[in-house]
Amino acid sequence: MKKPYYIILLMLIGLFSCKQDNTVTIRGNIKGLKSKWVYYKPTFPIGGKSIDSAKVTDGKFEFNFRPDTAFFADIVSLSYKDEKGKREYIAVGNPNEPAKNHSRYVDFVVGTGVTTITGDLSKTEGAILNGGSQSESYLKNITLPYIRISKDSVRRAAQTERIKKIISENPDSYWSLSALHNFRFYVEHAQLIELYNSFGDAARTSYYGRKLKQFIDNQPANKSQFANSIFNDVDEKPVNLVDNTKKLNMVIFWASWCGPCRQEIPSLKRIAAQFNKDDIRFVSVSVDEKKENWLTVMKAEDMPWQQLIIPRPIFQKAQVQYNLGFVPQVYLVNNKNIVVKKIDGFNEGNEERVKTFIADYLAKN
């Protein structure tokens, strides 16, 4: 007679040796589909190539694959070549939209298990997607990633509650997680943590979940506190971002490829010319990936103040620290590394307001 603990041991071995089934199956049945092949392509990275194909028989096709690594969900597209060799996409309709405004979407979300796509190419409403909770969440909240998070605290709080409610309806929704990843630069630190913690384990341990956690860990809890990082000048010499011997520092984040950034430079020159350099330090920080592009445009613009660039190895961390979801951004920082004013984007009317603010601040300090 076997000892009970042998039976328990065998059960545990069996439990942990069984890998979770993350097989992905896509079954299609599209009337009028005369192509010999359908091609499967993840939407990201943009411009990537198809990674799989399925043979079409009487409009029917099927993809089956089991990723080598843990698979959560992905946004993908299916395409085919028509009789003239032109690439076309199997577009998905959204039953949650009014019929008269019925849109068709090239991309859709696919998760583990079976996703079915049925339809008729002769009709305009798009194919019918049925793939469980991932597809349902996608179709129900298809505009979610494109919400413009408000700067107004009351409106932003209402938007956060709406996003939290959507997450609670499906805490393992790939679409909701990717949306939150899009919002990461625009949501307050405490709110971002709260929304992240609303997701289930599968979402939090996924690729986007891990990236979001890394972002949260690097994000300053106090947005008024300005990190005094060390970046490189034109000679690769490390320089502190903030000069704490000055009453005020104007820190300008920009890029050579950014049109509004370059439009702003004449205005910045006029502002810099008005104030005593003993009181205020001006510094521009490039987010350029290629140093040669930065050097070329910097020389052309001839800005008469300190010029720095973020070293690539620390770029992602700096992007989080200074909330660089876009440029230009201008920070006015005092000698205690506190942000006293922040200006987002370029506005021709900002110049006089900034001059007045600086003059008042220096007079009082």
Side-chain angles (χ1 to χ4, degrees):
M1 181 176 178
K2 293 182 179 180
K3 300 288 186 181
Y5 57 81
Y6 283 128
I7 297 174
I8 295 172
L9 180 61
L10 288 172
M11 290 174 64
L12 288 172
I13 292 171
L15 176 65
F16 289 105
S17 63
C18 292
K19 295 182 179 179
Q20 183 179 358
D21 185 8
N22 63 340
T23 301
V24 178
T25 299
I26 302 174
R27 291 182 186 143
N29 187 355
I30 307 294
K31 293 181 180 179
L33 180 58
K34 297 179 180 179
S35 176
K36 293 181 179 179
W37 298 93
V38 169
Y39 304 94
Y40 172 95
K41 184 178 80 68
T43 301
F44 301 106
I46 298 293
K49 296 182 179 180
S50 300
I51 63 171
D52 201 358
S53 60
K55 189 173 179 59
V56 179
T57 304
D58 295 329
K60 297 178 182 179
F61 57 89
E62 183 168 318
F63 290 91
N64 284 288
F65 58 91
R66 183 172 183 174
D68 295 332
T69 56
F71 182 83
F72 171 47
D74 204 358
I75 182 167
V76 304
S77 64
L78 297 180
S79 65
Y80 63 94
K81 292 183 179 179
D82 65 15
E83 294 170 316
K84 296 181 180 180
K86 180 182 176 183
R87 185 172 295 276
E88 300 285 355
Y89 288 87
I90 298 175
V92 172
N94 189 349
N96 299 292
E97 296 177 348
K100 64 178 180 179
N101 297 322
H102 207 62
S103 300
R104 304 198 314 161
Y105 300 93
V106 167
D107 302 311
F108 61 92
V109 173
V110 62
T112 54
V114 179
T115 298
T116 62
I117 299 179
T118 58
D120 187 339
L121 292 182
S122 67
K123 297 183 179 180
T124 60
E125 63 266 24
I128 298 171
L129 177 68
N130 191 334
S133 60
Q134 292 292 351
S135 295
E136 182 181 348
S137 174
Y138 163 71
L139 292 172
K140 186 177 179 181
N141 304 294
I142 205 159
T143 62
L144 179 62
Y146 314 113
I147 292 175
R148 294 177 64 89
I149 301 297
S150 176
K151 292 182 180 181
D152 178 78
S153 59
V154 176
R155 288 191 61 196
R156 188 169 61 246
Q159 288 175 322
T160 301
E161 283 304 310
R162 179 195 167 196
I163 296 167
K164 187 176 179 181
K165 182 177 183 297
I166 290 172
I167 294 171
S168 69
E169 292 171 353
N170 185 352
D172 284 326
S173 166
Y174 169 91
W175 192 241
S176 297
L177 182 65
S178 62
L180 186 58
H181 188 262
N182 282 359
F183 301 149
R184 67 193 186 280
F185 287 106
Y186 309 103
V187 178
E188 296 291 339
H189 183 71
Q191 293 173 325
L192 188 59
I193 293 173
E194 181 183 12
L195 292 172
Y196 171 79
N197 287 334
S198 299
F199 283 98
D201 290 340
R204 290 200 304 270
T205 57
S206 69
Y207 172 75
Y208 276 126
R210 294 193 304 273
K211 286 193 70 175
L212 201 53
K213 180 62 165 63
Q214 184 181 42
F215 182 94
I216 290 170
D217 289 344
N218 286 327
Q219 188 182 43
N222 181 358
K223 66 179 181 180
S224 296
Q225 191 69 40
F226 194 78
N228 193 2
S229 299
I230 297 175
F231 295 146
N232 292 346
D233 68 6
V234 293
D235 299 316
E236 299 288 339
K237 178 184 175 182
V239 178
N240 279 92
L241 185 55
V242 174
D243 183 346
N244 296 118
T245 68
K246 307 294 184 182
K247 291 182 179 180
L248 203 57
N249 290 258
M250 178 178 271
V251 183
I252 305 133
F253 289 99
W254 76 296
S256 65
W257 43 260
C258 168
C261 298
R262 299 185 67 175
Q263 282 182 279
E264 188 176 53
I265 291 171
S267 174
L268 293 173
K269 286 181 178 179
R270 290 190 291 271
I271 294 172
Q274 181 170 319
F275 296 99
N276 190 323
K277 302 303 183 290
D278 292 335
D279 292 328
I280 182 170
R281 179 207 187 203
F282 289 78
V283 57
S284 285
V285 184
S286 170
V287 301
D288 276 285
E289 182 175 356
K290 294 183 178 180
K291 183 180 177 181
E292 56 269 28
N293 294 346
W294 168 56
L295 292 173
T296 299
V297 174
M298 183 182 64
K299 184 177 180 181
E301 295 290 358
D302 191 27
M303 292 171 276
W305 55 78
Q306 179 80 68
Q307 301 293 317
L308 304 177
I309 189 170
I310 303 174
R312 296 318 293 180
I314 63 170
F315 178 79
Q316 287 191 344
K317 183 176 181 180
Q319 188 183 36
V320 178
Q321 285 180 312
Y322 303 105
N323 211 46
L324 299 177
F326 62 91
V327 287
Q329 290 191 58
V330 177
Y331 287 86
L332 287 168
V333 184
N334 69 15
N335 55 9
K336 295 180 181 179
N337 299 334
I338 301 298
V339 177
V340 295
K341 187 174 182 61
K342 185 172 182 288
I343 305 159
D344 294 335
F346 169 64
N347 185 326
E348 291 182 353
N350 275 344
E351 182 177 332
E352 294 306 317
R353 288 191 288 269
V354 172
K355 285 179 179 178
T356 300
F357 180 89
I358 293 174
D360 289 347
Y361 185 88
L362 294 178
K364 294 175 182 176
N365 294 275

